[in-house]
Amino acid sequence: ESGKELVELKIIWNKNKYDVKFCLDSTGAELKQKIHSLTGLPPAMQKVMFKGLLPEEKTLREIKVTNGAKIMVVGSTINDVLAVNTPKEAAQQEVKAEDNKKEPLCRQKQHRKVLDKGKPDDVMPSVKGVQERLPTVPLSGMYNKSGGKVRLTFKLEQDQLWIGTKERTEKLPMGSIKNVVSEPIEGHEDYHMMAFQLGPTEASYYWVYWVPTQYVDAIKDTVLGKWQYF
């Protein structure tokens, strides 16, 4: 590594901490290889977090990693997975998964409360079978979990999602949203119900109902950090 600029990192995995000096012009993929050599965790089973999911193709310099940065690693080695997943537990998980499959989200009681209000009068028109990029105006005319009106504004230049209601506007960094899930609404498949995961558990899901289907993929790609080509 002589002659190359190094950065000091603190890699944290399963309560283990590793102090590492690593080349600033190495990529996320190369860092994953280094983590593999430290932890035995294969790169494919690593979820590496630095201000959101670490991009494999970018260098540490490009994503502005600085001295003392904490790199969080989530993942289990194959041995850990085999040790935990006894046949009995695996069977229980399969039963649970089957139960979840049987009942679509839109039939669950918590969602029925909102969906039974019917489609909002000012809902944006939907286009079936088409994927569109995000419109330049906010997505509006949707409901949130309490049945209040909600609009979504994508501030790409600030890397933020603004969730606006009558009372307030929450300005969320895209990197703080851990996941986006969606499902078509039964009987109105040209609209989806969608949730933004704001914390570690499902209790942190922020639900939005009546999202036009043509924008669903663009919303997921934008929030979760995939590139959109304009």
Side-chain angles (χ1 to χ4, degrees):
E1 300 288 352
S2 60
K4 293 183 180 176
E5 193 177 346
L6 300 178
V7 65
E8 293 181 7
L9 308 175
K10 194 173 283 295
I11 294 171
I12 301 167
W13 172 68
N14 271 4
K15 297 181 182 172
N16 299 313
K17 292 180 183 170
Y18 305 88
D19 290 315
V20 173
K21 285 187 178 177
F22 205 67
C23 177
L24 203 49
D25 292 307
S26 293
T27 62
E30 289 169 318
L31 181 59
K32 281 189 162 188
Q33 290 295 344
K34 178 69 175 176
I35 292 168
H36 182 202
S37 70
L38 293 169
T39 64
L41 189 62
M45 297 182 78
Q46 295 174 21
K47 192 172 183 182
V48 182
M49 312 293 287
F50 174 74
K51 295 181 181 174
L53 205 56
L54 185 84
E56 289 196 6
E57 69 287 355
K58 291 194 174 182
T59 65
L60 304 194
R61 190 188 297 276
E62 285 175 309
I63 59 170
K64 299 183 170 54
V65 174
T66 54
N67 264 329
K70 286 184 181 174
I71 308 286
M72 305 294 294
V73 181
V74 181
S76 304
T77 64
I78 291 167
N79 289 342
D80 291 339
V81 172
L82 294 175
V84 169
N85 247 340
T86 61
K88 184 182 169 193
E89 282 179 344
Q92 285 171 343
Q93 283 172 4
E94 278 175 28
V95 168
K96 193 174 174 192
E98 280 300 317
D99 286 347
N100 289 345
K101 270 188 224 163
K102 283 176 200 160
E103 186 176 46
L105 289 169
C106 56
R107 287 194 208 159
Q108 292 174 12
K109 193 175 169 187
Q110 57 168 331
H111 303 304
R112 282 263 49 107
K113 278 191 309 190
V114 181
L115 294 173
D116 286 346
K117 289 177 69 164
K119 196 189 295 186
D121 297 335
D122 56 347
V123 72
M124 294 177 84
S126 69
V127 185
K128 264 189 186 172
V130 174
Q131 291 181 8
E132 293 186 11
R133 67 186 190 196
L134 292 174
T136 51
V137 296
L139 294 177
S140 59
M142 299 169 292
Y143 289 138
N144 62 15
K145 201 170 177 178
S146 58
K149 281 293 176 66
V150 64
R151 70 185 171 277
L152 302 175
T153 309
F154 294 87
K155 295 282 186 181
L156 300 183
E157 66 284 357
Q158 290 157 269
D159 204 28
Q160 290 180 345
L161 167 61
W162 292 10
I163 300 178
T165 60
K166 198 165 72 174
E167 296 78 27
R168 58 188 298 185
T169 298
E170 292 276 359
K171 300 180 179 181
L172 303 170
M174 300 277 193
S176 71
I177 300 169
K178 294 176 172 50
N179 198 10
V180 182
V181 297
S182 73
E183 186 179 285
I185 296 170
E186 261 188 343
H188 300 276
E189 279 75 12
D190 47 338
Y191 288 93
H192 280 230
M193 46 192 285
M194 176 174 276
F196 299 96
Q197 187 180 347
L198 308 182
T201 66
E202 286 191 15
S204 68
Y205 280 6
Y206 187 98
W207 285 98
V208 177
Y209 304 85
W210 303 101
V211 179
T213 186
Q214 70 268 27
Y215 300 129
V216 168
D217 286 342
I219 291 171
K220 289 181 180 178
D221 288 352
T222 301
V223 171
L224 299 174
K226 294 177 188 167
W227 289 102
Q228 274 193 318
Y229 297 97
F230 294 102

